[in-house]
Each structure stands twice: as structure tokens, then as C-alpha cells.
Amino acid sequence: LTARSLPSIQSDERLQPLLSHLSHSYVGPDYSVQKNAGRLSLEQIDTLSVKSFPLCMRQLHKALRDNHHLRHGGRMQYGLFLKGIGLTLEQALEFWKKEFIRGKVDADKFDKGYAYSIRHSYGKEGKRTDYTPYSCMKIIMSNPPSQGDYHGCPFRHSDPELLKQKLQSYKISPSGITQILELVKGMHYQLACQKYFELTHDVEDIGFSLNHPNQYFTESQRLLSGGREVKREPSNSGNSQQKSNSQESVTSNSTPASSNTAADAELEGLEAYFTED
């Protein structure tokens, strides 16, 4: 109920400081425990991006594949999400390096300018802080994208017409697009994402309040695999109608996170390690 009520009061300027504080004090699962670490192969990411990534991460993945580069805001948002779904440090270094050298970044430049920041995000450099993936509220409320950026929340930061075109390209039905755009118009961004989940997974009600991109991935994998953990091979789409809560999800974290205010402060330092180009 709280998650459903928040979007309706976001336009009230008196509540902006409170909401901004809440976005830095997310107390749900922080997805810092990588229960699926090492079980996902890099070859699976393209398939998973279509089946189980929320729109914000699907957008970042496509931009990375198309441009072979992401600016620092996109690298942080997407990199920490990938960390949360199970990519090990070694996999992350391989993933980003392979993609960047397909563009204008050679191997030496990557090793000198980008690899350190990736190790830093995994707690292996600097203050050894183990950074956690961004929650929906943090993505919605902070660091809005500018021209040339692909991070942020597409439901919050995209032009409605461009969002409509994107949803059409992803084969969302006209009636579904109308429902999503109505929620966006009412500033119900997380509900719009929930509707996107329902439409792409062919379910009428997801049965939970969506508040984290990694939660989206977890619930998608739970649904598509019938409650089983993600395997090395993509799961059979024939299981897409099954849903089971009896087993633990691939990346679910049952340990509630305490206030992430300190971690957010540390992220300020992490951002300094990302180059702007």
C-alpha cells in the first residue's frame, strides 16, 4: 500500500525532502549477497535482458551493445545491477572490457581508466566498500539523465512518445501501452513498471509491490523457472505460466538491509572514479 501511495504524492513540493531522504534510506533487501554468483554465464545476458530485465536495465544493456560504451551514470546503475544478479568481479571485468574494446577504448585504456572503478564497486579497492544495486526510488529520485545518457527510469525520465515507441518495439499490445502511459501520466512510475512486468510475463497480477530492479529480475526468474534456480542454459519458455514461491529465488536476499545512508555517501566517492567520457 505504501509503494502504491508514494507516486501520488511525489508532486507535492513539501514532501520532496522526505521522499529524497527515503530514496537514500531504502530498507528492503539490498541484494548484496550474490547467491547466484558465478552461476550465470556472460552468454546468457542477452537472453536474460529480454526475458527478465526491467525496462531501465534492458535499455542500458541495449545502449551498451549498440554503442559499446556507457557514460558513468549508466555504468554505475547497470554495473551494480549485474553484480546483484550474480556476475563475479572476474566476469564483470571481462564483460565490460570486451564491449568497450569493440568501441573506441583499447585494452590499455580500459585497464587504466575503467577496471579500477569496477574493482572498487566490488569492494576490492579504496575503502573496500561492497556497493549495493540501486533501488527504484534511488533511480527515480536522483541523478536524472542528460543528453547522451541511458540511465534513470524510462517511465520517469523518457518522453512519453519515445516511451510509446520503445514499448511498441518490444511488442507490448496497444491496450497495454495505453495502461502504462496512463500510469506514467499520473506519476505512478513503479506501478507502470509493474504493469510492464505483467504484460511481458502474461500474468494478471504480479502479487507484490515492485521497488527494486533486482527484485524484478528475481521474481521474473522465479516465475519463468517455476521456482527453480537459474541454470546455465536459458529456461524453457514453456514454464512461463508457472509460479512457485516454495523455493528460494536465484538472487533473493532474505537479510533486510539497514539504512544505506552511509553506503550512499560512499557512492559519492565511487562516482569520482568513473571517467566522464
Side-chain angles (χ1 to χ4, degrees), residues 8-277:
S8 66
I9 59 175
Q10 286 179 357
S11 60
D12 192 329
E13 294 181 357
R14 297 170 299 176
L15 296 174
Q16 287 300 322
L18 173 61
L19 293 176
S20 180
H21 174 73
L22 286 175
S23 72
H24 291 277
S25 302
Y26 172 71
V27 294
D30 65 5
Y31 299 94
S32 61
V33 177
Q34 295 178 288
K35 294 187 176 181
N36 202 49
R39 298 184 185 180
L40 298 176
S41 68
L42 296 182
E43 290 72 23
Q44 283 181 283
I45 295 179
D46 286 329
T47 299
L48 290 172
S49 71
V50 175
K51 290 184 175 182
S52 294
F53 282 16
L55 188 58
C56 58
M57 301 305 171
R58 186 175 182 179
Q59 173 176 281
L60 282 165
H61 181 75
K62 186 177 187 305
L64 178 63
R65 290 303 199 205
D66 289 345
N67 304 320
H68 315 302
H69 191 273
L70 286 176
R71 297 177 67 182
H72 74 283
R75 295 197 299 274
M76 290 186 69
Q77 181 175 319
Y78 189 40
L80 290 173
F81 169 80
L82 291 175
K83 175 187 176 185
I85 70 172
L87 254 65
T88 64
L89 172 59
E90 292 73 21
Q91 286 178 312
L93 288 168
E94 180 183 353
F95 172 76
W96 290 101
K97 186 172 185 176
K98 280 185 175 180
E99 198 60 49
F100 272 42
I101 62 177
R102 292 178 64 192
K104 299 179 180 180
V105 178
D106 60 33
D108 185 61
K109 182 178 180 180
F110 179 89
D111 291 338
K112 292 180 178 179
Y114 297 93
Y116 180 90
S117 62
I118 296 172
R119 293 195 300 271
H120 196 286
S121 69
Y122 275 76
K124 303 302 181 183
E125 301 285 356
K127 295 182 179 180
R128 310 284 175 169
T129 300
D130 191 15
Y131 297 98
T132 58
Y134 292 173
S135 67
C136 290
M137 286 300 291
K138 181 174 180 61
I139 292 172
I140 291 171
M141 301 295 289
S142 63
N143 190 25
S146 58
Q147 186 174 4
D149 287 327
Y150 295 91
H151 67 272
C153 172
F155 303 107
R156 168 66 178 85
H157 299 115
S158 294
D159 175 83
E161 183 59 33
L162 293 178
L163 176 61
K164 178 180 179 180
Q165 294 175 14
K166 186 183 298 291
L167 294 172
Q168 288 173 335
S169 70
Y170 291 162
K171 310 302 181 183
I172 304 298
S173 67
S175 61
I177 293 176
T178 298
Q179 294 177 66
I180 289 175
L181 293 179
E182 282 299 312
L183 290 168
V184 169
K185 184 178 180 181
M187 295 185 293
H188 305 298
Y189 308 120
Q190 288 168 249
L191 294 182
C193 193
Q194 289 184 195
K195 178 56 65 175
Y196 174 78
F197 184 106
E198 292 167 357
L199 292 168
T200 55
H201 290 76
D202 194 23
V203 294
E204 294 185 1
D205 185 355
I206 59 177
F208 60 88
S209 294
L210 183 63
N211 52 40
H212 202 292
N214 289 81
Q215 176 196 18
Y216 185 110
F217 177 82
T218 295
E219 296 296 341
S220 173
Q221 285 295 302
R222 187 202 303 275
L223 179 62
L224 294 175
S225 65
R228 294 187 299 275
E229 290 188 347
V230 176
K231 298 181 179 180
R232 298 291 293 183
E233 296 297 327
S235 59
N236 192 312
S237 60
N239 292 328
S240 62
Q241 298 302 313
Q242 301 178 22
K243 185 172 183 180
S244 171
N245 294 321
S246 60
Q247 298 186 27
E248 191 172 38
S249 174
V250 55
T251 56
S252 64
N253 179 11
S254 60
T255 304
S258 58
S259 172
N260 282 341
T261 303
D264 284 334
E266 293 290 344
L267 279 172
E268 297 287 334
L270 176 59
E271 290 182 4
Y273 289 104
F274 283 85
T275 54
E276 291 291 340
D277 61 337

